Structure formats: C-alpha cells, structure tokens
Amino acid sequence: MALITRAEVIARISGRGLQTAQFTEDDLTVAELRYIKPMLGDVLYSAVSAGSGDEGDYKTFTDTYIKPALAWFSLYVASDRMMVELSDRGFMRLQADNAQPMSEAQRTSFKASILDNANTFLELARQYVIDEVVDENPLFEGLYNVDTTEISRENAFTYTSNTRRTYHLN
C-alpha cells in the first residue's frame, strides 16, 4: 500500500491547477522508496507500511510526519516529467499561453527549493523517530537493535548524504 495518494500530494503542495493525472503512481513509489524507506530503515518502513491505514498504529506518524515529506519528494520526482511531454513525436517541452518558460537557472532553483522543503519535513520525521526511540514508545520498541540508554537525541542518527539522506542508529 502506498503511503500517500496523488490527491493527497496535490492537497499538500497546493499547486494551482494541478491534476492527479500529472503524478503517476510510479512517481509516488519512487519518492517513497528513494527517500522515505532509507530514512526509516527496512523494519520500521515495513511496520509503517502495514500500519498506516485508517486505523493503523502508525497512522498519526504517517499523516503528521511522513506524508508532508513524501508529497514534496513526489513533486521533486515528477517535476522534470511535468515540464515535457513524450508523444509519438518524441519529447516536447510544454509551453502555455500567457506563461513564460523557466530558464535553466530558475528550474534548478525551483527543484532545489522543492528538495529543501522535502528534506525539512523528513528531518521532522527523523527527529520524531529519535524522540520516540529514546522515550521508549512501544510502537518503536524492537525496531532497532540498540540500547536506548546509550544514545542521545543528538547522535542517534547520522547522515550519509546531502541529497539522498539515509540514517541509522549508532
């Protein structure tokens, strides 16, 4: 089960005139697997995936922390494809009446802004997980093989990359 729907992505990023058809299920899956799963780790990701439904144990965590990040990562993944169209004539850059195409510098800045928003929300999720592991929340118990008395909120996770962040407990 996907952690977010196309309609939820649009509602969260609030794009004017965006339609659900502009996001494919593959966009959502790629964003989820590329950015969310590495942060959560295999065990927590499986638990969240199984327990994020309407009455699942992880619904609040998913709705509050994962979906905002996932919406922005989904836009990041889909943004290049939204600027072009593939048809029987090949790849065509989309243009609209009463609009000007973005320059390469503007496009780069826009994508960086999207990624920054996504990473900000992912950081909130990361911090929530740290707090819950340290505070021994039963929903997070046993998901990491670590003695929580030996970790602090400051060093519980480490970054391995700027653009594709992955985390692990020390």
Side-chain angles (χ1 to χ4, degrees), residues 61-131:
F61 171 63
T62 302
D63 288 351
T64 306
Y65 296 99
I66 299 301
K67 286 184 179 184
L70 190 50
W72 286 99
F73 282 125
S74 295
L75 177 60
Y76 182 76
V77 167
S79 62
D80 284 331
R81 188 184 37 72
M82 289 179 175
M83 295 178 199
V84 297
E85 179 179 71
L86 175 61
S87 71
D88 59 344
R89 297 178 296 172
F91 287 99
M92 304 293 171
R93 189 177 85 197
L94 298 176
Q95 288 185 257
D97 294 337
N98 303 320
Q100 293 182 338
M102 296 175 109
S103 69
E104 185 60 29
Q106 289 170 322
R107 188 186 76 76
T108 300
S109 175
F110 176 69
K111 286 200 65 161
S113 174
I114 294 169
L115 193 58
D116 187 49
N117 288 349
N119 281 321
T120 298
F121 284 113
L122 192 62
E123 177 63 20
L124 291 173
R126 182 189 74 84
Q127 189 60 51
Y128 179 84
V129 171
I130 291 169
D131 291 345

Side-chain angles (χ1 to χ4, degrees), residues 12-169:
R12 287 187 178 275
I13 62 174
S14 179
R16 186 183 94 173
L18 281 177
Q19 302 296 315
T20 57
Q22 292 175 283
F23 292 91
T24 67
E25 292 300 322
D26 289 347
D27 294 331
L28 308 184
T29 300
V30 167
E32 188 174 309
L33 296 177
R34 185 179 290 164
Y35 300 103
I36 302 301
K37 185 177 180 182
M39 190 279 289
L40 295 176
D42 290 338
V43 175
L44 182 55
Y45 176 77
S46 294
V48 167
S49 293
S52 63
D54 288 340
E55 296 183 26
D57 290 339
Y58 294 94
K59 181 181 178 0
T60 300
F61 171 63
T62 302
D63 288 351
T64 306
Y65 296 99
I66 299 301
K67 286 184 179 184
L70 190 50
W72 286 99
F73 282 125
S74 295
L75 177 60
Y76 182 76
V77 167
S79 62
D80 284 331
R81 188 184 37 72
M82 289 179 175
M83 295 178 199
V84 297
E85 179 179 71
L86 175 61
S87 71
D88 59 344
R89 297 178 296 172
F91 287 99
M92 304 293 171
R93 189 177 85 197
L94 298 176
Q95 288 185 257
D97 294 337
N98 303 320
Q100 293 182 338
M102 296 175 109
S103 69
E104 185 60 29
Q106 289 170 322
R107 188 186 76 76
T108 300
S109 175
F110 176 69
K111 286 200 65 161
S113 174
I114 294 169
L115 193 58
D116 187 49
N117 288 349
N119 281 321
T120 298
F121 284 113
L122 192 62
E123 177 63 20
L124 291 173
R126 182 189 74 84
Q127 189 60 51
Y128 179 84
V129 171
I130 291 169
D131 291 345
E132 295 308 300
V133 169
V134 171
D135 293 342
E136 300 181 21
N137 180 323
L139 288 177
F140 296 87
E141 185 178 343
L143 294 177
Y144 294 99
N145 186 18
V146 66
D147 178 0
T148 57
T149 61
E150 295 180 12
I151 64 172
S152 69
R153 285 173 170 77
E154 290 74 37
N155 70 4
F157 285 77
T158 57
Y159 291 103
T160 61
S161 164
N162 270 343
T163 57
R164 187 179 287 179
R165 296 177 180 182
T166 56
Y167 311 90
H168 65 275
L169 285 171

